[in-house]
Amino acid sequence: MADILHQLLAFIEKGTVEQRCAALLVLGALKSENSAVVKTVGVALDHPNPIIKDYALRYFEEVHSKSHVPLLIKFLDDPDRDIQERIIRVLTEAGQTVVPSLLRGVTAASRTWQLNAARVLCTVRGRIALKGLLQMLRAGTDEFNKAVCDLMTPAVREMDAKEQQQLGDEVEAFALSLDVKQQRPAVVSAMRLLAQLGRSQARRWLFKFVGPEHPAVLRSHALVGLLRGLREQDLHKDEYAKLFPLLEESEFSDVTRLAVELLDVHELPDDARSLLARLMQSPHADVQKFALRKMGGFGTPATVRTLVEQLGDPDYRRRDVAANSLRKIPEARAALIKELVTCDDPSKAWSIAELLPSFEGKWRQDVLESLWKRLQKAIEAEDRIQTAFLNVFKQADQDYAYEQLAANSVRLLKTKKYKEAVAFLTPLKDFPAFRPENKFQLALAQLKLHSHTITSHRQHPAVELFADLYRNSAYPLFEALKKERSLTPEEVFALGFSLVERPGDERSVGKDLLAHIANKFPRNKIGKNAKNKLKLVS
């Protein structure tokens, strides 16, 4: 066996490329690892020929030994990326035994070597490896430290609670040992790791860096760490005092955004109301919306008034935030109703109309009467705010709303104010119980507003309403039209003419109307025209 090994080593040292590769394969298969073999294969691993180098590395991939580590770690920054990856796999398989060798060589090594060593350390883990990673961060640059922290992220996620607690203790001790001015990249890295760990115990150290005297990068990373660590924790009074000024800074930066996020998940103290009132006037939309959201948590009359005022803001986002805050305050219903009754802004009225169904409560009769008066005036003035009043009125008391609209329509029809009558009758179409008699009144008013020509009647909505009324109800349409004194013979003739030209059942009522005109005015032109039309459609 010794002679065979001697021959194989001789081939590796002086043979052809084929002989060397074959000898390396045999040594790997034999799992031979005496000192002479390891030394010879180690020399082959450093050979300039990539094929020989590949087969030498195959030997180390087959034969796992702690003694191989010192030979392999120098290839962590090999120019061949594939060699680097294979070396990393071999070292990782060696486990904890590789850690001391890696940590001894890290100081004088290249950045590539250090990053690949960090990959191995993150995979094998263990207390010594993680402490070594922290020391690598101590002297690192921003770019290098970010890369190392990114490598540590999967390892942190895979740790159990005990391991995370131990790492958190190490990171916090590491953070406290740093000089902020001289080792800023390391401070940022500590903040990133504390954020990944959700380390609430580091709150005091992190709060030291949120003020404007520190660079923005430190402030934002400190706030991310606090956001992750304190999401389930209560904030202290002195911590609120440090966060509130961040919301009033002139520039809306990541610092302001993160402060809003952190405060948004916590209940604010009572003395924050004056601050929120100021923030309502902030030039930053996100800060304004935060203030609106938080105002809803107090529920005082002053808060409700402020929020109700915001419902008229031109920015729909501010209106939405104010509405969401008001929904949380049951006492807001009375203020909203009071505002609606006196409101002249259609947009604000609609915001209130959409909000009111969120609240429970009965409607007083005096309030309903006030709403009716506002709706009546809005319809008469053709003001678009009428849709908001009508919406609320229907939700409050649908039957009362219907009766008021219908009664007012009758009054207007009697005084021949057909345009005004149409305005009050049209909303009734959207009620579930749109009565046939009111449909007739709406069609009649529309017919009276229309010019008395046959051509113009064919597509008129009045004709559609009369046709629908005849087809879908038992309403005595012909009798009602025959008795209607406001209709002229020309209007009855034009309506009958239009109905007989339609394809539905309504043709019969059209014929009845033409026959009525022909019989009533046999000698007049209108009567003769009706008689002629009847002959054509018979």
Side-chain angles (χ1 to χ4, degrees), residues 13 53 64 124 145 172 203 239 247 253 303 306 451 476 527:
E13 290 175 348
K53 193 170 189 174
H64 303 289
V124 301
N145 282 15
E172 196 169 347
R203 64 198 298 167
E239 292 171 342
L247 305 181
S253 62
T303 298
T306 302
S451 57

Side-chain angles (χ1 to χ4, degrees), residues 130-146:
L130 293 172
K131 288 185 73 171
L133 285 166
L134 293 179
Q135 294 311 310
M136 291 172 69
L137 295 172
R138 186 181 291 275
T141 62
D142 289 323
E143 184 180 358
F144 175 79
N145 282 15
K146 182 181 184 301

